């Protein structure tokens, strides 16, 4: 029966989409192909991409160099198990990641998705504490307003209220949350944050294995920026209380904020780092968890003697090959000036919208432009409007935001900001 249904009808009745209902779904648009910063719909429209397919497609779609990396690797092997084998794509990617993160880490766990890399980071922290004999350190800490992925462990460190996960609270482990930082960018640590951090560590420091945060920019939990002064104080307290610090740079990594990684901009090195999203230029699902030698040694001193994680597709050669090509492309491009150019133009074209009485706040950093509205946005109708205007922007909650590919030109970016302006 299903073969006589149109693609969109089949999709509506049979396929789950992110955070949507099967009984009352949001509309979906069928994409035929993509090129550069343009997404082409089956119905003929062409949309300027404002999202980079959720932070990932930084070099644009259908890039010849990335395509070639996949073709070349597929002729050697698309996959081989990582248990007992290794291969050049994994080794080269490991080296690149350690280099790009300024040799601040020693070991790399190549994971299959951002959420998995967070699970890996959390398990690393818990095993480390067991390994060094701190058996009472069995809880995790996180910030209110944070987002770390959709798997159960990752969910347990996402914002428990405004996150998408309130439904599961009875099931999830009870972790300890810090208030959202109030220290705004370029400001000294607020008294409020200092006090909150002190109280928090006095109360929970003994039971915490690790604190996980998205450094400088909280992404899916509200597109919220805060200053490095907060991270500095957090790092100090973590050290004093024997708590590992995990940075989740799955969204901020690979240049989005204007630096290769936010931890480099902040000048604060965590014990464990998660990267993902843009790692393959948006070509395949891949992520990585990097850690220091001290963390690895602690893990290996734990009862099992090994790190207890090993997904089937760990170190997938195709994904590693395209990640290598994407990282090389990034490093040999003038990404920093591209991102600065985007930031400058976003400031010019979006900051004036602060004046609108429908707008609560406008925030810009690197290649991220965020308009926080006073009222929640109706996604279905907003999306329809954006598509009719030839752009792809997907709002959530009160947030109308763009994270365009770094290669976007001035004219295409203006098209995005123009449509955003007309919406406010
Ligand atoms: C997207 C995201 C994740 C989850 O990554 P997936 O690849 O979707 O599993 C985790 N943390 C942050 C900060 C993210 O932006």
């Amino acid at each position: 029966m299903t073969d006589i249904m149109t693609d969109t009808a089949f999709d509506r009745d049979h396929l789950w989409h992110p955070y949507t209902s099967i009984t009352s779904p949001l509309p979906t648009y069928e994409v035929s192909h993509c090129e550069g910063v343009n997404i082409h719909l089956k119905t003929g429209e062409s949309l300027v991409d404002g999202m980079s397919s959720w932070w990932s497609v930084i070099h644009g779609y259908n890039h010849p160099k990335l395509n070639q990396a996949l073709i070349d690797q597929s002729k050697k092997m698309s996959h081989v198990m990582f248990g007992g084998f290794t291969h050049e794509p994994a080794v080269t990617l490991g080296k690149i990641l350690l280099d790009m993160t300024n040799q601040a880490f020693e070991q790399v766990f190549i994971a299959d998705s951002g959420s998995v890399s967070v699970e890996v980071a959390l398990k690393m922290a818990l095993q480390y504490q067991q390994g060094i004999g701190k058996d009472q350190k069995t809880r995790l800490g996180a910030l209110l307003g944070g987002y770390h992925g959709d798997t159960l462990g990752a969910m347990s460190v996402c914002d428990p209220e405004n996150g998408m996960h309130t439904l599961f609270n009875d099931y999830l482990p009870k972790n300890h949350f810090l208030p959202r930082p109030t220290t705004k960018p370029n400001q000294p640590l607020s008294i409020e944050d200092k006090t909150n951090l002190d109280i928090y560590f006095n109360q929970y420091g003994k039971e915490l294995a690790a604190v996980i945060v998205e450094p400088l920019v909280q992404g899916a939990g509200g597109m919220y920026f805060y200053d490095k002064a907060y991270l500095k104080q957090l790092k100090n307290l973590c050290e004093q209380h024997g708590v590992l610090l995990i940075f989740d740079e799955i969204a901020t990594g690979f240049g989005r904020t204007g630096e290769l990684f936010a931890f480099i901009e902040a000048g604060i090195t965590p014990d464990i780092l998660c990267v993902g999203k843009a790692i393959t230029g948006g070509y395949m699902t891949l992520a990585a968890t990097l850690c220091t030698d001290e963390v690895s040694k602690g893990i290996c001193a734990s009862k099992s003697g090994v790190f207890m994680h090993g997904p089937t597709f760990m170190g997938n050669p195709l994904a590693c090959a395209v990640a290598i090509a994407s990282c090389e492309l990034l490093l040999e491009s003038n990404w920093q000036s591209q991102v600065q150019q985007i930031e400058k133009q976003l400031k010019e074209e979006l900051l004036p919208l602060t004046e609108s009485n429908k707008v609560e706040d406008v925030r810009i950093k690197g290649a991220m432009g965020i308009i926080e509205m006073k009222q929640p946005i109706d996604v279905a109708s907003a999306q329809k409007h954006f598509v009719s205007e030839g752009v792809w922007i997907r709002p959530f909650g009160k947030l109308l935001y763009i994270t365009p590919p770094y290669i976007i030109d001035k004219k295409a970016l203006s098209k995005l900001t123009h449509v955003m302006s007309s919406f406010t």
Side-chain angles (χ1 to χ4, degrees), residues 55 113-116 118 147-150 214 220 248 250-251 277:
W55 315 76
S113 74
S115 299
V116 172
V118 169
Y147 176 77
H148 300 289
D150 291 351
E214 297 151 274
D248 175 351
I250 293 165
K277 286 201 163 90

Side-chain angles (χ1 to χ4, degrees), residues 27-48:
T28 53
Y29 298 87
E30 191 175 350
V31 176
S32 63
H33 62 289
C34 303
E35 180 76 46
V37 298
N38 296 307
I39 297 171
H40 298 278
L41 300 185
K42 187 116 179 250
T43 41
E45 295 99 323
S46 160
L47 312 177
V48 173

Side-chain angles (χ1 to χ4, degrees), residues 142-169:
L143 298 182
L144 291 181
Y147 176 77
H148 300 289
D150 291 351
T151 51
L152 283 161
M155 253 168 44
S156 78
V157 286
C158 287
D159 186 289
E161 298 293 328
N162 84 5
M164 305 141 195
H165 311 310
T166 32
L167 296 167
F168 306 100
N169 273 350

Side-chain angles (χ1 to χ4, degrees), residues 7 13 17 23 40 63 95 98 131 137-138 200 202 214 228 245 249 266 294 300 307-308 393 399 403 405-406 420:
D7 288 354
D13 293 347
H17 281 262
T23 48
H40 298 278
H63 195 289
K95 285 184 190 164
L98 295 182
K137 288 189 168 284
T138 56
Y200 179 87
N202 281 334
E214 297 151 274
K228 58 181 181 300
L245 182 58
E249 293 225 35
E294 192 201 331
C300 300
F307 180 55
M308 274 300 188
I393 301 173
L399 300 173
T403 50
Y406 304 163
M420 289 169 91

Side-chain angles (χ1 to χ4, degrees), residues 56-60 62-74 76 88-97 100 254 260 277-284 286 316-333 335 406-407:
S56 64
V57 184
I58 53 178
H59 310 295
N62 203 1
H63 195 289
K65 187 164 172 185
L66 302 183
N67 292 355
Q68 196 59 46
L70 283 175
I71 294 166
D72 292 347
Q73 183 55 42
S74 68
K76 297 177 195 154
E88 197 245 304
V91 171
T92 306
L93 180 62
K95 285 184 190 164
I96 290 177
L97 291 176
M100 281 178 101
F254 302 99
L260 269 183
K277 286 201 163 90
I279 188 172
T280 64
Y283 264 59
M284 290 186 71
L286 191 76
N316 175 257
L318 266 187
C320 289
V322 74
I324 294 165
S326 176
C327 291
E328 284 174 356
L329 202 55
L330 182 68
L331 294 174
E332 73 203 20
S333 74
W335 66 272
Y406 304 163
I407 56 151

Side-chain angles (χ1 to χ4, degrees), residues 285-297:
T285 175
L286 191 76
T289 311
L290 285 65
C291 70
T292 61
D293 214 32
E294 192 201 331
V295 171
S296 297
K297 292 212 173 95

Side-chain angles (χ1 to χ4, degrees), residues 115-140:
S115 299
V116 172
S117 77
V118 169
E119 300 287 334
V120 164
L122 302 179
K123 286 170 76 174
M124 280 180 169
L126 293 164
Q127 270 196 258
Y128 165 83
Q129 300 290 3
Q130 286 171 23
I132 63 162
K134 302 280 185 201
D135 292 325
Q136 77 282 18
K137 288 189 168 284
T138 56
R139 293 281 153 218
L140 299 162

